[in-house]
Amino acid sequence: MNNFTFSTLQRQNYLAKLRQEEFDLLVIGGGITGAGIALDAATRGLKVALVEKKDFAWGTSSRSTKLIHGGLRYLKQLEIKLVREVGLERAIVHKNALHIVNAERMLLPIVQNGSLGKTMSALGLWVYDHLADVEKEERRRMLTKAETIQAEPLLRQDILKAGGLYYEYRTDDARLTIETLKSAVKEGAIALNYAQVIGFDFSNKNMAQAQIEDIRSHEKFNIKAKYIVNAAGPWVDTLRAIDEEGVKGKRLHLTKGVHIVVPREKLNLQQSAYFDIVADKRMCFAIPRLDVTYIGTTDTNYKENIDQPHATLEDVEYILKATNTMFPTANLTKEDVISTWAGLRPLIHQDGKSPSELSRKDEIFISKTGLISIAGGKLTGYRKMAERIVDLIAKKLNKKTSCKTESYALSGSNFKSSKDFDKFVNLRATSLKDLNVPPKMVIALAQRYGSNLDWIIEKAYEIAPQMNSGIEAFEMAEIMYAVQFEMVDSLSDFLIRRSGRLYFERPKVLDTYIQWASFLAEQLQWDTQRIKAEIAEFEVDLNLAMAWRNQSVSCSQSSL
Ligand code: FAD
């Protein structure tokens, strides 16, 4: 059970502390990179503050493929060290977050003119297993053509040669970020969303300052910290540009990746698939999840508004074509697409390289003023990225410390093993019958909140007599948890990043978002004007996911 809060209702207290206290470290950016750094530093006893200009995980960390993976594709680019590091990290991230990082069986069909032949796929998967020290029961198994068809009857058969089965880990990127942040806060960090860094002052060598705008009140104030880390993902260079030194030397190269969501029955795969896009030798994931299957991704150069990447008609058509080529009987059309999301990869620019060739390695830049920036990398490698940054800062602070997160169970992951977690889920799903809550709903909540679900259950029982149904009691209890322990401050925070409902349950959300707004309003005491503004803001996100439908002209994917 929780013994700390991370509550929107305490916002003024957090603001007062940020104004008054002096920190060892200020982290800019509440994506997975910033959250990981805050947790690593807090567990080593550093005094840490973190600020995020919108909501936690609002940037790339809620828009990825949501896999904790070793990056099989990087093996093809001979990035052996990267594959080894992220491969090993997979197992650690899984062990530390058992409720949100689950083993996922992945089928790799081997096709004519695909990127890897039979021998190279078998060898690649073998190397992958060994580089990543994959557990015996999760090691790759090569399949004949007949076995591959049996594993996935929807596959196109005329070009199919064979297949491979291996394991990746599926996650919810935004929830991994919030659980990491909650853990950092539990360890003493102060983290605030809707607080944007708008300037720096490094004139005092012993104590830097960052100027912050509180996005809710538009008040400005300074945070004092010995060191400032810029973990702003795609905005890393935007922040470097407001530092006195500007963007010198290496710079970011942003590429956009899009996913589409279709109802599960339209592409009802037996397991996830990682398949060739024969037309351009790229690879694509199709991942069943709850009642939908999501498919992606693209990789195109991006030079537009960083704050609003979205899928275009061209992106959607590209993914549909690739999917229909590999799963022809699905015959997916634009009408089947119920949602999309688009994210930006904050990669490091390398002259002459195409988006897919750019390295996914992370790099640290230190400006002469003292601003430390980190970019590149992957969700999977976030813990190691954090370790590197905090090692550097600890050294500058003359502190002898070592990383403590390798065996650190994140908030909600209070389980000894996956089996222990499964037992928890089954027990909870069957023990709540008296509230008339469908087991499916309890399972989804358990996978979202892990052991923290017990707080929600307790609250649901407490408020049930005043609610219309057990389901409503659970929904209200979930909102209360989100406000008190996950800093939810807007309708989009809840429906997109805390619960993933916009992406995975869009049709249902269309009928329920007004009701969710009224639940939140009750908890956060919003007046009518704020409720209207929240609904309008959520509708922007809702429409952005389907904005591609308003485009009529399609053009070619030149940069793919
Ligand atoms: P972000 O998540 O973008 O966080 C940066 C934060 O900084 C943002 O929330 C932003 O609002 C905040 N910020 C910006 N400016 C300011 C300011 N002035 N003041 C305060 N805050 C500010 N990796 C994997 O391991 N597995 C995958 O399956 C995978 N799939 C991917 C698919 C796609 C399409 C993409 C684009 C990436 C994928 N990645 C994947 C990579 C991974 O998602 C990213 O590496 C990771 O999420 C980057 O996190 P970040 O914290 O660095 O950036």
Short mmCIF file of all heavy atoms in Angstrom, two decimals, residues 28-35 51-69 173 195-198 231-235 239 242 255-259 285 297-298 341-346 374-381 385, ligand 1:
data_model
loop_
_atom_site.label_atom_id
_atom_site.label_comp_id
_atom_site.label_asym_id
_atom_site.label_seq_id
_atom_site.Cartn_x
_atom_site.Cartn_y
_atom_site.Cartn_z
N ILE A 28 15.21 18.26 -16.48
CA ILE A 28 14.18 18.87 -17.33
C ILE A 28 13.61 17.78 -18.23
O ILE A 28 14.35 17.17 -19.02
CB ILE A 28 14.76 19.99 -18.20
CG1 ILE A 28 15.51 21.00 -17.34
CG2 ILE A 28 13.65 20.67 -19.01
CD1 ILE A 28 16.34 21.98 -18.15
N GLY A 29 12.31 17.54 -18.12
CA GLY A 29 11.67 16.55 -18.99
C GLY A 29 11.15 15.36 -18.20
O GLY A 29 11.92 14.69 -17.52
N GLY A 30 9.84 15.14 -18.29
CA GLY A 30 9.22 14.03 -17.56
C GLY A 30 8.88 12.87 -18.46
O GLY A 30 7.85 12.23 -18.32
N GLY A 31 9.76 12.59 -19.44
CA GLY A 31 9.63 11.36 -20.23
C GLY A 31 10.40 10.26 -19.51
O GLY A 31 10.86 10.44 -18.37
N ILE A 32 10.57 9.13 -20.18
CA ILE A 32 11.23 8.00 -19.53
C ILE A 32 12.69 8.34 -19.17
O ILE A 32 13.19 7.91 -18.12
CB ILE A 32 11.13 6.71 -20.39
CG1 ILE A 32 11.56 5.49 -19.59
CG2 ILE A 32 11.95 6.80 -21.67
CD1 ILE A 32 10.67 5.13 -18.45
N THR A 33 13.37 9.13 -20.01
CA THR A 33 14.76 9.46 -19.72
C THR A 33 14.87 10.27 -18.43
O THR A 33 15.64 9.93 -17.52
CB THR A 33 15.40 10.24 -20.90
OG1 THR A 33 15.15 9.53 -22.11
CG2 THR A 33 16.89 10.42 -20.73
N GLY A 34 14.06 11.33 -18.33
CA GLY A 34 14.09 12.17 -17.13
C GLY A 34 13.64 11.39 -15.90
O GLY A 34 14.25 11.50 -14.83
N ALA A 35 12.58 10.58 -16.06
CA ALA A 35 12.06 9.82 -14.91
C ALA A 35 13.14 8.86 -14.41
O ALA A 35 13.36 8.73 -13.20
CB ALA A 35 10.81 9.05 -15.33
N VAL A 51 11.08 18.84 -13.64
CA VAL A 51 9.94 19.61 -14.17
C VAL A 51 9.61 19.16 -15.58
O VAL A 51 10.50 18.81 -16.36
CB VAL A 51 10.20 21.14 -14.17
CG1 VAL A 51 10.09 21.73 -12.77
CG2 VAL A 51 11.53 21.49 -14.81
N GLU A 52 8.32 19.20 -15.88
CA GLU A 52 7.81 18.76 -17.19
C GLU A 52 6.86 19.83 -17.70
O GLU A 52 5.95 20.25 -16.99
CB GLU A 52 7.11 17.41 -17.01
CG GLU A 52 6.14 17.02 -18.11
CD GLU A 52 6.76 16.96 -19.50
OE1 GLU A 52 7.78 16.27 -19.67
OE2 GLU A 52 6.22 17.62 -20.41
N LYS A 53 7.05 20.25 -18.97
CA LYS A 53 6.26 21.39 -19.44
C LYS A 53 4.79 21.05 -19.69
O LYS A 53 3.92 21.92 -19.62
CB LYS A 53 6.88 22.01 -20.70
CG LYS A 53 6.73 21.21 -21.97
CD LYS A 53 7.17 22.05 -23.17
CE LYS A 53 7.09 21.25 -24.45
NZ LYS A 53 7.23 22.05 -25.64
N LYS A 54 4.50 19.82 -20.04
CA LYS A 54 3.08 19.42 -20.22
C LYS A 54 2.80 18.35 -19.17
O LYS A 54 3.00 18.59 -18.01
CB LYS A 54 2.87 18.88 -21.63
CG LYS A 54 3.24 19.89 -22.70
CD LYS A 54 2.04 20.49 -23.34
CE LYS A 54 2.45 21.43 -24.43
NZ LYS A 54 1.42 21.81 -25.33
N ASP A 55 2.39 17.17 -19.62
CA ASP A 55 2.16 16.10 -18.65
C ASP A 55 3.33 15.12 -18.71
O ASP A 55 4.02 15.02 -19.74
CB ASP A 55 0.86 15.37 -19.00
CG ASP A 55 0.55 14.25 -18.01
OD1 ASP A 55 0.92 14.38 -16.83
OD2 ASP A 55 -0.07 13.25 -18.43
N PHE A 56 3.54 14.37 -17.63
CA PHE A 56 4.55 13.33 -17.65
C PHE A 56 4.26 12.37 -18.81
O PHE A 56 3.10 12.00 -19.04
CB PHE A 56 4.57 12.57 -16.32
CG PHE A 56 4.77 13.47 -15.14
CD1 PHE A 56 3.85 13.52 -14.11
CD2 PHE A 56 5.90 14.30 -15.06
CE1 PHE A 56 4.03 14.38 -13.03
CE2 PHE A 56 6.08 15.16 -13.99
CZ PHE A 56 5.15 15.19 -12.97
N ALA A 57 5.30 11.98 -19.54
CA ALA A 57 5.20 11.07 -20.69
C ALA A 57 4.41 11.66 -21.87
O ALA A 57 4.02 10.93 -22.77
CB ALA A 57 4.59 9.72 -20.29
N TRP A 58 4.21 12.96 -21.83
CA TRP A 58 3.44 13.59 -22.92
C TRP A 58 4.19 13.52 -24.27
O TRP A 58 3.58 13.48 -25.33
CB TRP A 58 3.16 15.05 -22.56
CG TRP A 58 2.54 15.84 -23.67
CD1 TRP A 58 1.22 15.83 -24.03
CD2 TRP A 58 3.20 16.73 -24.57
NE1 TRP A 58 1.03 16.67 -25.10
CE2 TRP A 58 2.23 17.22 -25.45
CE3 TRP A 58 4.53 17.14 -24.72
CZ2 TRP A 58 2.53 18.12 -26.46
CZ3 TRP A 58 4.83 18.04 -25.74
CH2 TRP A 58 3.84 18.52 -26.59
N GLY A 59 5.52 13.50 -24.23
CA GLY A 59 6.31 13.49 -25.47
C GLY A 59 6.40 12.09 -26.06
O GLY A 59 5.41 11.33 -26.06
N THR A 60 7.58 11.73 -26.53
CA THR A 60 7.76 10.44 -27.21
C THR A 60 7.40 9.27 -26.30
O THR A 60 6.98 8.21 -26.78
CB THR A 60 9.23 10.33 -27.68
OG1 THR A 60 9.54 11.49 -28.44
CG2 THR A 60 9.45 9.11 -28.54
N SER A 61 7.57 9.45 -25.00
CA SER A 61 7.39 8.31 -24.09
C SER A 61 5.95 7.82 -23.92
O SER A 61 5.70 6.93 -23.11
CB SER A 61 7.99 8.64 -22.72
OG SER A 61 9.37 8.88 -22.87
N SER A 62 5.00 8.39 -24.65
CA SER A 62 3.67 7.76 -24.69
C SER A 62 3.33 7.37 -26.13
O SER A 62 2.20 7.00 -26.41
CB SER A 62 2.59 8.72 -24.15
OG SER A 62 2.65 9.95 -24.83
N ARG A 63 4.32 7.48 -27.03
CA ARG A 63 3.96 7.29 -28.45
C ARG A 63 4.88 6.29 -29.15
O ARG A 63 5.13 6.39 -30.34
CB ARG A 63 4.04 8.63 -29.17
CG ARG A 63 3.24 9.73 -28.49
CD ARG A 63 3.73 11.05 -28.99
NE ARG A 63 3.33 12.16 -28.15
CZ ARG A 63 2.80 13.28 -28.60
NH1 ARG A 63 2.58 13.43 -29.87
NH2 ARG A 63 2.50 14.25 -27.77
N SER A 64 5.47 5.38 -28.40
CA SER A 64 6.41 4.43 -28.99
C SER A 64 5.67 3.16 -29.42
O SER A 64 4.44 3.09 -29.36
CB SER A 64 7.49 4.08 -27.98
OG SER A 64 7.00 3.19 -27.00
N THR A 65 6.43 2.13 -29.81
CA THR A 65 5.81 0.83 -30.16
C THR A 65 5.47 0.06 -28.89
O THR A 65 4.85 -0.98 -28.93
CB THR A 65 6.75 0.02 -31.08
OG1 THR A 65 7.15 0.86 -32.17
CG2 THR A 65 6.09 -1.20 -31.66
N LYS A 66 5.90 0.57 -27.76
CA LYS A 66 5.57 0.00 -26.45
C LYS A 66 6.17 -1.39 -26.27
O LYS A 66 5.53 -2.29 -25.74
CB LYS A 66 4.05 0.01 -26.22
CG LYS A 66 3.45 1.41 -26.46
CD LYS A 66 1.99 1.51 -26.26
CE LYS A 66 1.41 2.80 -26.82
NZ LYS A 66 1.92 4.05 -26.32
N LEU A 67 7.40 -1.53 -26.73
CA LEU A 67 8.12 -2.79 -26.55
C LEU A 67 9.40 -2.54 -25.78
O LEU A 67 10.09 -1.54 -26.01
CB LEU A 67 8.49 -3.41 -27.90
CG LEU A 67 7.35 -4.01 -28.72
CD1 LEU A 67 7.88 -4.45 -30.08
CD2 LEU A 67 6.70 -5.18 -28.00
N ILE A 68 9.69 -3.46 -24.87
CA ILE A 68 11.01 -3.45 -24.24
C ILE A 68 11.76 -4.51 -25.00
O ILE A 68 11.51 -5.71 -24.83
CB ILE A 68 10.88 -3.80 -22.73
CG1 ILE A 68 10.06 -2.73 -22.02
CG2 ILE A 68 12.23 -3.98 -22.07
CD1 ILE A 68 10.67 -1.32 -22.04
N HIS A 69 12.58 -4.09 -25.93
CA HIS A 69 13.16 -5.08 -26.84
C HIS A 69 14.64 -4.86 -27.10
O HIS A 69 15.15 -3.75 -26.98
CB HIS A 69 12.37 -5.18 -28.15
CG HIS A 69 12.42 -3.95 -29.00
ND1 HIS A 69 12.49 -4.01 -30.36
CD2 HIS A 69 12.39 -2.65 -28.69
CE1 HIS A 69 12.50 -2.79 -30.85
NE2 HIS A 69 12.44 -1.94 -29.86
N ASP A 173 4.34 2.34 -22.39
CA ASP A 173 5.44 3.30 -22.20
C ASP A 173 5.10 4.41 -21.19
O ASP A 173 5.91 4.74 -20.31
CB ASP A 173 5.89 3.89 -23.55
CG ASP A 173 4.73 4.30 -24.45
OD1 ASP A 173 3.56 4.27 -23.99
OD2 ASP A 173 4.99 4.64 -25.61
N ALA A 195 5.06 22.61 -15.80
CA ALA A 195 6.07 23.58 -15.33
C ALA A 195 7.19 23.58 -16.38
O ALA A 195 7.91 22.58 -16.52
CB ALA A 195 6.62 23.17 -13.97
N GLN A 196 7.29 24.68 -17.11
CA GLN A 196 8.19 24.71 -18.27
C GLN A 196 9.46 25.52 -17.99
O GLN A 196 9.37 26.63 -17.45
CB GLN A 196 7.44 25.33 -19.47
CG GLN A 196 8.30 25.45 -20.71
CD GLN A 196 7.48 25.81 -21.94
OE1 GLN A 196 6.28 26.05 -21.84
NE2 GLN A 196 8.13 25.87 -23.08
N VAL A 197 10.60 24.98 -18.39
CA VAL A 197 11.84 25.74 -18.28
C VAL A 197 11.89 26.75 -19.43
O VAL A 197 11.73 26.38 -20.60
CB VAL A 197 13.07 24.80 -18.34
CG1 VAL A 197 14.36 25.60 -18.45
CG2 VAL A 197 13.10 23.91 -17.11
N ILE A 198 12.10 28.03 -19.08
CA ILE A 198 12.13 29.05 -20.13
C ILE A 198 13.46 29.82 -20.16
O ILE A 198 13.66 30.68 -21.02
CB ILE A 198 10.94 30.04 -20.01
CG1 ILE A 198 10.88 30.63 -18.58
CG2 ILE A 198 9.62 29.38 -20.37
CD1 ILE A 198 9.89 31.76 -18.45
N ALA A 231 16.83 16.58 -20.27
CA ALA A 231 16.38 15.27 -20.80
C ALA A 231 15.07 15.50 -21.55
O ALA A 231 14.09 14.79 -21.32
CB ALA A 231 16.21 14.28 -19.65
N ALA A 232 15.08 16.50 -22.42
CA ALA A 232 13.83 16.96 -23.03
C ALA A 232 13.51 16.25 -24.35
O ALA A 232 12.71 16.74 -25.15
CB ALA A 232 13.86 18.47 -23.21
N GLY A 233 14.12 15.10 -24.61
CA GLY A 233 13.77 14.31 -25.80
C GLY A 233 13.87 15.14 -27.07
O GLY A 233 14.89 15.80 -27.32
N PRO A 234 12.81 15.18 -27.88
CA PRO A 234 12.87 15.94 -29.14
C PRO A 234 13.12 17.43 -28.93
O PRO A 234 13.45 18.13 -29.88
CB PRO A 234 11.48 15.71 -29.74
CG PRO A 234 10.98 14.46 -29.10
CD PRO A 234 11.57 14.41 -27.74
N TRP A 235 12.93 17.94 -27.71
CA TRP A 235 13.13 19.37 -27.43
C TRP A 235 14.52 19.65 -26.86
O TRP A 235 14.78 20.77 -26.41
CB TRP A 235 12.07 19.86 -26.44
CG TRP A 235 10.67 19.79 -26.97
CD1 TRP A 235 9.98 20.79 -27.59
CD2 TRP A 235 9.80 18.66 -26.95
NE1 TRP A 235 8.74 20.35 -27.95
CE2 TRP A 235 8.60 19.05 -27.57
CE3 TRP A 235 9.92 17.34 -26.48
CZ2 TRP A 235 7.52 18.16 -27.74
CZ3 TRP A 235 8.85 16.49 -26.63
CH2 TRP A 235 7.68 16.89 -27.25
N LEU A 239 16.01 23.52 -25.94
CA LEU A 239 16.54 23.99 -24.65
C LEU A 239 18.00 24.41 -24.77
O LEU A 239 18.43 25.40 -24.16
CB LEU A 239 16.37 22.91 -23.58
CG LEU A 239 14.98 22.98 -22.96
CD1 LEU A 239 14.52 21.64 -22.45
CD2 LEU A 239 14.95 24.01 -21.84
N ILE A 242 18.27 27.94 -25.83
CA ILE A 242 18.07 29.06 -24.89
C ILE A 242 19.20 29.13 -23.86
O ILE A 242 19.24 30.04 -23.04
CB ILE A 242 16.68 29.04 -24.19
CG1 ILE A 242 16.44 27.73 -23.44
CG2 ILE A 242 15.57 29.32 -25.18
CD1 ILE A 242 15.20 27.78 -22.55
N THR A 255 13.05 11.97 -36.26
CA THR A 255 12.29 11.20 -37.25
C THR A 255 10.95 10.82 -36.63
O THR A 255 10.86 10.62 -35.42
CB THR A 255 13.03 9.93 -37.75
OG1 THR A 255 12.94 8.89 -36.77
CG2 THR A 255 14.48 10.21 -38.10
N LYS A 256 9.94 10.77 -37.50
CA LYS A 256 8.58 10.50 -36.99
C LYS A 256 8.22 9.03 -37.18
O LYS A 256 8.57 8.42 -38.21
CB LYS A 256 7.57 11.36 -37.75
CG LYS A 256 6.15 11.23 -37.22
CD LYS A 256 5.16 12.11 -37.98
CE LYS A 256 4.76 11.48 -39.30
NZ LYS A 256 3.61 12.14 -39.93
N GLY A 257 7.55 8.46 -36.20
CA GLY A 257 7.05 7.09 -36.31
C GLY A 257 5.57 7.06 -35.98
O GLY A 257 5.14 7.65 -34.99
N VAL A 258 4.79 6.40 -36.84
CA VAL A 258 3.34 6.37 -36.68
C VAL A 258 2.86 4.94 -36.41
O VAL A 258 3.44 3.99 -36.91
CB VAL A 258 2.68 6.91 -37.98
CG1 VAL A 258 1.21 6.57 -38.07
CG2 VAL A 258 2.89 8.41 -38.07
N HIS A 259 1.81 4.81 -35.60
CA HIS A 259 1.13 3.52 -35.42
C HIS A 259 -0.34 3.70 -35.75
O HIS A 259 -0.90 4.77 -35.48
CB HIS A 259 1.25 3.03 -33.98
CG HIS A 259 2.65 2.63 -33.62
ND1 HIS A 259 3.60 3.53 -33.24
CD2 HIS A 259 3.26 1.42 -33.63
CE1 HIS A 259 4.74 2.90 -33.03
NE2 HIS A 259 4.56 1.62 -33.26
N PHE A 285 5.89 -3.93 -36.82
CA PHE A 285 5.28 -4.77 -35.78
C PHE A 285 3.76 -4.73 -35.92
O PHE A 285 3.19 -3.68 -36.24
CB PHE A 285 5.61 -4.23 -34.39
CG PHE A 285 7.04 -4.45 -33.95
CD1 PHE A 285 7.97 -3.41 -34.01
CD2 PHE A 285 7.44 -5.69 -33.47
CE1 PHE A 285 9.28 -3.61 -33.59
CE2 PHE A 285 8.76 -5.88 -33.04
CZ PHE A 285 9.67 -4.85 -33.11
N THR A 297 6.04 0.56 -37.31
CA THR A 297 5.90 1.99 -37.40
C THR A 297 6.57 2.51 -38.67
O THR A 297 7.25 1.74 -39.37
CB THR A 297 6.51 2.65 -36.15
OG1 THR A 297 6.46 4.07 -36.25
CG2 THR A 297 7.94 2.23 -35.93
N THR A 298 6.40 3.79 -38.92
CA THR A 298 7.09 4.44 -40.03
C THR A 298 8.37 5.07 -39.49
O THR A 298 8.61 5.07 -38.28
CB THR A 298 6.20 5.55 -40.62
OG1 THR A 298 5.87 6.45 -39.55
CG2 THR A 298 4.92 4.98 -41.19
N TRP A 341 -1.36 7.03 -33.45
CA TRP A 341 -0.53 7.97 -32.71
C TRP A 341 0.79 8.14 -33.45
O TRP A 341 1.17 7.28 -34.26
CB TRP A 341 -0.32 7.55 -31.26
CG TRP A 341 0.52 6.33 -31.01
CD1 TRP A 341 1.88 6.26 -30.94
CD2 TRP A 341 0.04 4.99 -30.79
NE1 TRP A 341 2.28 4.97 -30.67
CE2 TRP A 341 1.17 4.17 -30.57
CE3 TRP A 341 -1.21 4.40 -30.75
CZ2 TRP A 341 1.09 2.80 -30.32
CZ3 TRP A 341 -1.30 3.04 -30.49
CH2 TRP A 341 -0.17 2.26 -30.28
N ALA A 342 1.45 9.26 -33.18
CA ALA A 342 2.71 9.54 -33.86
C ALA A 342 3.71 10.08 -32.84
O ALA A 342 3.35 10.89 -31.99
CB ALA A 342 2.49 10.59 -34.95
N GLY A 343 4.94 9.61 -32.91
CA GLY A 343 5.96 10.08 -31.98
C GLY A 343 7.23 10.47 -32.72
O GLY A 343 7.44 10.08 -33.87
N LEU A 344 8.07 11.25 -32.04
CA LEU A 344 9.33 11.70 -32.66
C LEU A 344 10.52 11.06 -31.95
O LEU A 344 10.61 11.10 -30.73
CB LEU A 344 9.44 13.22 -32.55
CG LEU A 344 8.31 14.00 -33.23
CD1 LEU A 344 8.49 15.50 -33.00
CD2 LEU A 344 8.24 13.68 -34.72
N ARG A 345 11.41 10.47 -32.75
CA ARG A 345 12.63 9.89 -32.17
C ARG A 345 13.68 10.99 -32.03
O ARG A 345 14.05 11.60 -33.04
CB ARG A 345 13.19 8.79 -33.08
CG ARG A 345 12.26 7.63 -33.31
CD ARG A 345 12.85 6.62 -34.29
NE ARG A 345 11.86 5.60 -34.62
CZ ARG A 345 10.91 5.72 -35.54
NH1 ARG A 345 10.81 6.83 -36.26
NH2 ARG A 345 10.06 4.74 -35.77
N PRO A 346 14.17 11.21 -30.81
CA PRO A 346 15.21 12.24 -30.65
C PRO A 346 16.59 11.64 -30.94
O PRO A 346 17.36 11.35 -30.03
CB PRO A 346 15.07 12.64 -29.17
CG PRO A 346 14.43 11.47 -28.50
CD PRO A 346 13.77 10.60 -29.53
N ILE A 374 21.12 15.06 -22.62
CA ILE A 374 21.20 13.65 -23.05
C ILE A 374 20.12 13.39 -24.08
O ILE A 374 18.97 13.80 -23.92
CB ILE A 374 21.11 12.67 -21.86
CG1 ILE A 374 21.22 11.22 -22.35
CG2 ILE A 374 19.84 12.86 -21.03
CD1 ILE A 374 21.62 10.21 -21.31
N ALA A 375 20.51 12.72 -25.17
CA ALA A 375 19.53 12.42 -26.22
C ALA A 375 19.87 11.08 -26.86
O ALA A 375 20.87 10.47 -26.53
CB ALA A 375 19.54 13.52 -27.26
N GLY A 376 19.01 10.68 -27.81
CA GLY A 376 19.17 9.37 -28.44
C GLY A 376 18.61 8.31 -27.50
O GLY A 376 17.85 8.61 -26.59
N GLY A 377 19.01 7.07 -27.74
CA GLY A 377 18.60 6.00 -26.82
C GLY A 377 17.21 5.48 -27.08
O GLY A 377 16.55 5.86 -28.04
N LYS A 378 16.79 4.58 -26.19
CA LYS A 378 15.51 3.90 -26.34
C LYS A 378 14.85 3.76 -24.98
O LYS A 378 15.52 3.81 -23.97
CB LYS A 378 15.73 2.48 -26.91
CG LYS A 378 16.32 2.48 -28.31
CD LYS A 378 16.27 1.14 -28.95
CE LYS A 378 14.91 0.55 -29.09
NZ LYS A 378 14.04 1.17 -30.08
N LEU A 379 13.55 3.56 -25.04
CA LEU A 379 12.80 3.27 -23.82
C LEU A 379 13.50 2.13 -23.05
O LEU A 379 13.73 2.21 -21.84
CB LEU A 379 11.42 2.81 -24.28
CG LEU A 379 10.27 2.70 -23.32
CD1 LEU A 379 9.83 4.08 -22.91
CD2 LEU A 379 9.10 1.99 -24.00
N THR A 380 13.84 1.08 -23.79
CA THR A 380 14.42 -0.12 -23.18
C THR A 380 15.68 0.17 -22.39
O THR A 380 15.94 -0.44 -21.37
CB THR A 380 14.73 -1.14 -24.30
OG1 THR A 380 13.58 -1.27 -25.11
CG2 THR A 380 15.14 -2.49 -23.74
N GLY A 381 16.49 1.12 -22.88
CA GLY A 381 17.79 1.35 -22.25
C GLY A 381 17.77 2.49 -21.23
O GLY A 381 18.82 2.97 -20.81
N MET A 385 20.91 4.59 -19.32
CA MET A 385 21.17 6.00 -19.65
C MET A 385 21.22 6.81 -18.36
O MET A 385 22.09 7.66 -18.16
CB MET A 385 20.05 6.56 -20.55
CG MET A 385 20.10 6.10 -21.98
SD MET A 385 18.59 6.49 -22.89
CE MET A 385 18.74 8.24 -23.20
P1 FAD B 1 10.28 12.35 -24.23
O1 FAD B 1 9.44 11.22 -23.84
O2 FAD B 1 9.87 13.11 -25.42
O3 FAD B 1 10.35 13.30 -22.98
C1 FAD B 1 10.86 14.60 -23.03
C2 FAD B 1 9.94 15.49 -22.21
O4 FAD B 1 10.55 16.78 -22.04
C3 FAD B 1 8.60 15.73 -22.89
O5 FAD B 1 7.55 15.18 -22.10
C4 FAD B 1 8.51 17.25 -23.00
O6 FAD B 1 7.21 17.76 -22.78
C5 FAD B 1 9.50 17.71 -21.93
N1 FAD B 1 10.01 19.07 -22.19
C6 FAD B 1 10.39 19.58 -23.38
N2 FAD B 1 10.76 20.86 -23.23
C7 FAD B 1 10.61 21.17 -21.92
C8 FAD B 1 10.82 22.36 -21.15
N3 FAD B 1 11.24 23.50 -21.72
N4 FAD B 1 10.56 22.33 -19.83
C9 FAD B 1 10.10 21.20 -19.22
N5 FAD B 1 9.89 20.04 -19.93
C10 FAD B 1 10.14 20.03 -21.25
N6 FAD B 1 12.04 2.49 -27.68
C11 FAD B 1 11.95 1.24 -27.19
O7 FAD B 1 12.76 0.84 -26.36
N7 FAD B 1 10.98 0.38 -27.61
C12 FAD B 1 10.09 0.70 -28.57
O8 FAD B 1 9.21 -0.08 -28.90
C13 FAD B 1 10.20 1.99 -29.15
N8 FAD B 1 9.37 2.34 -30.14
C14 FAD B 1 9.40 3.61 -30.62
C15 FAD B 1 8.50 3.95 -31.63
C16 FAD B 1 8.44 5.27 -32.07
C17 FAD B 1 7.45 5.64 -33.13
C18 FAD B 1 9.29 6.25 -31.51
C19 FAD B 1 9.19 7.66 -31.97
C20 FAD B 1 10.23 5.89 -30.56
C21 FAD B 1 10.29 4.57 -30.10
N9 FAD B 1 11.20 4.17 -29.12
C22 FAD B 1 11.17 2.90 -28.63
C23 FAD B 1 12.15 5.13 -28.55
C24 FAD B 1 11.63 5.71 -27.22
O9 FAD B 1 10.25 5.89 -27.25
C25 FAD B 1 12.33 7.03 -26.91
O10 FAD B 1 13.70 6.84 -26.97
C26 FAD B 1 11.96 7.57 -25.54
O11 FAD B 1 10.58 7.56 -25.29
C27 FAD B 1 12.49 9.00 -25.39
O12 FAD B 1 12.17 9.45 -24.12
P2 FAD B 1 12.65 10.87 -23.60
O13 FAD B 1 12.29 10.95 -22.17
O14 FAD B 1 14.07 11.08 -23.95
O15 FAD B 1 11.82 11.91 -24.45
#
